[in-house]
Amino acid sequence: MDRQDLVVIGGGTSGFMVATGALRLGLKVVLIEKDRSLGGLALHYGCVPSKALLHVAQVAHTVKGATQYGLNSKIAAIDLGKVNDHVGSLVTRLVKQETQEAQNVFEQLGGKLLFGRASFVDSHTIQINSEHITAKKFVIATGSRSIFAEIKGLDALGYITNDTVFSQRKLPEKLIILGDKPSAIEFAQAFAQLGSKVTVVVSNDNILPQEDPELVAKLKEVLISNGVSFYFNTTVQRAYPQQQLKALECLHDSGESFVLHADEIMVALGRKPNVEGLGLENAGINYSDQGI
């Protein structure tokens, strides 16, 4: 049986930083990642691709408004497939680079980098593939996934999330985004600047509830100037197809009901922790849908 000082489960940014830091302090460390590459949400579906998309959107927005600087410019219809190919090429290059760097670091510092699903056997033992590893301490850094919207008919109607948006090939003429979190607002601006008519539906009375209200107010001004529309204090009752479009039946807190239509719906309601399938109960760890 393999014995270690520390086992880190999850090869995203946080897991990798903890593992390499512990190695440099002289500990025996194993880092386990269930996928075939490191980087986690930030590299594959979060910070890196979303910022690349925002950059492309900003370029498009600047070109469209270049006449105000005395420049005669025209931009053709935007090909979202090609935009996402560009974003994907950046991610692929970084994944390859970071995975190679990680392997080099672990090799130099004497750590182990394993790929596969880890599950606790008891409070000091995990199993990965057919191997058992014991450790004094464990770090669980398994990340999160998109929260599913419990809206009648939405699952059958279909929707996109930040996990699937970068594989889309067609820019929607009309896009509805559900959510008030940073990712919802990032995609709202990006798609509006790319040319979509974007509507953001929020159950609360504002966006970005954890941010400074004064900054949020200024940001809303910018977004509205980009063409983004907002529906606040609004919940979605059900979803259904209607004349080649996707329809959302909405209810405002005032009691007013109305229907919104779009070519595509994006769900960006936040994230939930990945804690299932780790055998946490075998280690005596209490957890719920909200995390450990």
Side-chain angles (χ1 to χ4, degrees):
M1 184 179 291
D2 191 2
R3 300 180 185 278
Q4 299 287 325
D5 294 314
L6 177 69
V7 170
V8 179
I9 305 173
T13 303
S14 58
F16 178 70
M17 294 302 292
V18 169
T20 53
L23 280 171
R24 290 190 169 99
L25 290 172
L27 277 66
K28 290 181 63 179
V29 180
V30 169
L31 174 62
I32 298 172
E33 167 56 44
K34 66 179 178 61
D35 295 322
R36 290 305 305 169
S37 60
L38 301 176
L41 168 69
L43 180 54
H44 294 274
Y45 307 109
C47 303
V48 171
S50 68
K51 300 310 177 289
L53 181 66
L54 279 168
H55 176 70
V56 174
Q58 182 61 51
V59 171
H61 182 67
T62 300
V63 172
K64 288 176 185 177
T67 52
Q68 66 180 305
Y69 304 112
L71 301 175
N72 294 322
S73 63
K74 180 179 267 189
I75 190 167
I78 291 175
D79 186 331
L80 185 62
K82 290 183 178 179
V83 171
N84 276 337
D85 286 343
H86 164 71
V87 172
S89 68
L90 294 176
V91 172
T92 299
R93 189 164 74 245
L94 281 173
V95 167
K96 183 177 179 181
Q97 176 183 321
E98 291 204 3
T99 299
Q100 186 60 57
E101 288 179 357
Q103 289 173 338
N104 292 341
V105 168
F106 271 72
E107 184 177 322
Q108 292 167 7
L109 298 177
K112 284 188 178 181
L113 182 58
L114 302 177
F115 293 94
R117 289 188 175 272
S119 179
F120 282 93
V121 176
D122 56 44
S123 60
H124 285 282
T125 310
I126 60 161
Q127 179 176 348
I128 171 173
N129 304 322
S130 59
E131 183 179 3
H132 283 72
I133 301 173
T134 64
K136 298 175 184 177
K137 300 288 183 180
F138 294 85
V139 170
I140 299 172
T142 47
S144 63
R145 63 187 184 278
S146 296
I147 293 175
F148 172 72
E150 296 183 3
I151 298 170
K152 183 179 179 181
L154 183 59
D155 198 28
L157 185 64
Y159 58 92
I160 59 175
T161 68
N162 72 301
D163 297 332
T164 59
V165 66
F166 300 110
S167 62
Q168 301 301 303
R169 308 302 298 175
K170 183 179 179 181
L171 184 70
E173 183 178 338
K174 296 180 180 180
L175 174 67
I176 295 174
I177 298 179
L178 307 181
D180 60 2
K181 303 294 190 294
S183 62
I185 305 311
E186 280 188 334
F187 286 115
Q189 183 172 49
F191 276 93
Q193 291 185 337
L194 288 172
S196 296
K197 180 174 175 54
V198 177
T199 300
V200 178
V201 178
V202 179
S203 60
N204 299 315
D205 60 1
N206 209 345
I207 58 173
L208 304 173
Q210 294 178 310
E211 306 303 330
D212 182 276
E214 186 176 356
L215 293 178
V216 171
K218 296 301 293 184
L219 177 58
K220 278 196 298 185
E221 290 179 14
V222 173
L223 291 167
I224 291 170
S225 72
N226 288 168
V228 178
S229 300
F230 291 95
Y231 284 84
F232 295 107
N233 300 310
T234 299
T235 56
V236 179
Q237 303 294 295
R238 69 186 183 103
Y240 55 90
Q242 188 176 63
Q243 298 179 349
Q244 308 297 315
L245 294 174
K246 297 182 178 184
L248 294 181
E249 189 176 288
C250 302
L251 178 66
H252 189 267
D253 285 354
S254 65
E256 177 190 1
S257 61
F258 55 93
V259 177
L260 298 175
H261 298 88
D263 301 285
E264 190 57 86
I265 297 166
M266 183 174 197
V267 176
L269 296 171
R271 314 284 298 178
K272 64 185 297 185
N274 295 323
V275 291
E276 301 86 353
L278 293 172
L280 295 177
E281 57 278 359
N282 296 331
I285 300 171
N286 296 321
Y287 67 98
S288 69
D289 289 344
Q290 302 303 311
I292 293 172

